[in-house]
Amino acid sequence: MGKLGVQTEIKVKQNSVTVIYFAASENDIRQAINEFEKQSYPEKQLAIFIQDIENFSDINHIYNDYQSEKVAIYLVDYLDHYSDFFTLFSTDFMTMWNDKHFYGRNYLKDLMLASIYTDADFIGKSSYFLFEHEELASVNQLSEYIYTSELLPSRSIIRTDFSFKKGLNVVLEEFRQDHNLAPYMSQGAKFFSSDKFNFIENGGRATKSLSDQVEI
């Protein structure tokens, strides 16, 4: 309550996040946008990277028809014009998506909420669900809500102002190949593991009845 008995509302700033996706075809672009739009978290952007322009018969059509206020399309070679991710994306965090995994509609919300109460540079899911043998398995069940020593880009958000001390091309390729982020601990990076929900490793083929079990 404020003075004179007037109730005041304290607004917490929502951090913003850019979803990174590599596209090899126009269908990949449509799929990325479709999955991106399903995400419930509002402060989001989508960055689609094209590595081989030869895969697209009309690149101008791609730019004109798919770019928007929320969606940007880049040629990987264009990264030479930027020195850091914060300048490129202008969001607080970034994350790499891999379409072989399942990302629930609250996946971004889940991790971005964690960014409010931890100062970690990398926030992800060290504990997670795994789809194998047509069933769900729970991995690292004791690794929820704790600081950890390793995470993968495909199930993490990363501060865009973190200094990787490498070229953006090199770092993005590491993200695309889903290299473990653990080596960045030697540069002072902090890792935090959120909960295991809203994500399934290798869950792109999981049935809806299985994916419904991990969404909260």
Side-chain angles (χ1 to χ4, degrees), residues 18-70:
T18 294
V19 174
I20 301 168
Y21 190 93
F22 275 82
S25 67
E26 186 171 353
N27 186 60
D28 285 350
I29 292 174
R30 287 193 291 263
Q31 179 179 336
I33 293 174
N34 182 55
E35 292 302 314
F36 171 77
E37 290 177 343
K38 290 179 182 178
Q39 288 294 306
S40 64
Y41 192 73
E43 297 300 319
K44 63 184 189 289
Q45 300 285 327
L46 175 62
I48 298 175
F49 284 90
I50 294 174
Q51 202 157 25
D52 298 314
I53 195 172
E54 295 81 8
N55 293 337
F56 299 85
S57 58
D58 186 353
I59 194 63
N60 289 324
H61 152 67
I62 298 298
Y63 285 134
N64 293 333
D65 286 15
Y66 292 105
Q67 289 200 120
S68 67
E69 183 180 342
K70 290 281 190 179

Side-chain angles (χ1 to χ4, degrees), residues 187-201:
Q187 296 175 207
K190 290 183 180 179
F191 292 66
F192 184 81
S193 176
S194 179
D195 63 67
K196 64 184 177 180
F197 294 98
N198 300 306
F199 173 83
I200 305 175
E201 181 95 0

Side-chain angles (χ1 to χ4, degrees), residues 3 5 12 26 31 42 65 77 139 150 159 175:
K3 292 182 179 180
V12 178
E26 186 171 353
Q31 179 179 336
D65 286 15
D77 292 342
V139 180
E150 58 179 41
R159 290 190 184 274
F175 288 177

Side-chain angles (χ1 to χ4, degrees), residues 103-180:
Y103 298 92
R105 65 182 301 274
N106 290 319
Y107 172 79
L108 289 180
K109 182 179 180 181
D110 196 356
L111 293 180
M112 294 305 293
L113 285 175
S115 74
I116 297 174
Y117 57 78
T118 176
D119 63 348
D121 304 288
F122 303 89
I123 303 170
K125 295 180 181 292
S126 181
S127 177
Y128 57 92
F129 289 97
L130 171 66
F131 180 64
E132 61 178 357
H133 309 304
E134 305 303 316
E135 295 180 343
L136 289 182
S138 186
V139 180
N140 297 334
Q141 296 187 54
L142 300 180
S143 295
E144 292 185 287
Y145 301 111
I146 61 171
Y147 285 92
T148 184
S149 59
E150 58 179 41
L151 290 169
L152 297 183
S154 62
R155 44 182 157 88
S156 302
I157 57 173
I158 300 162
R159 290 190 184 274
T160 53
D161 61 359
F162 181 78
S163 178
F164 290 92
K165 300 179 181 179
K166 297 178 181 177
L168 269 61
N169 272 317
V170 175
V171 178
L172 265 188
E173 182 59 20
E174 290 179 353
F175 288 177
R176 190 180 71 83
Q177 295 186 24
D178 216 17
H179 287 184
N180 200 310

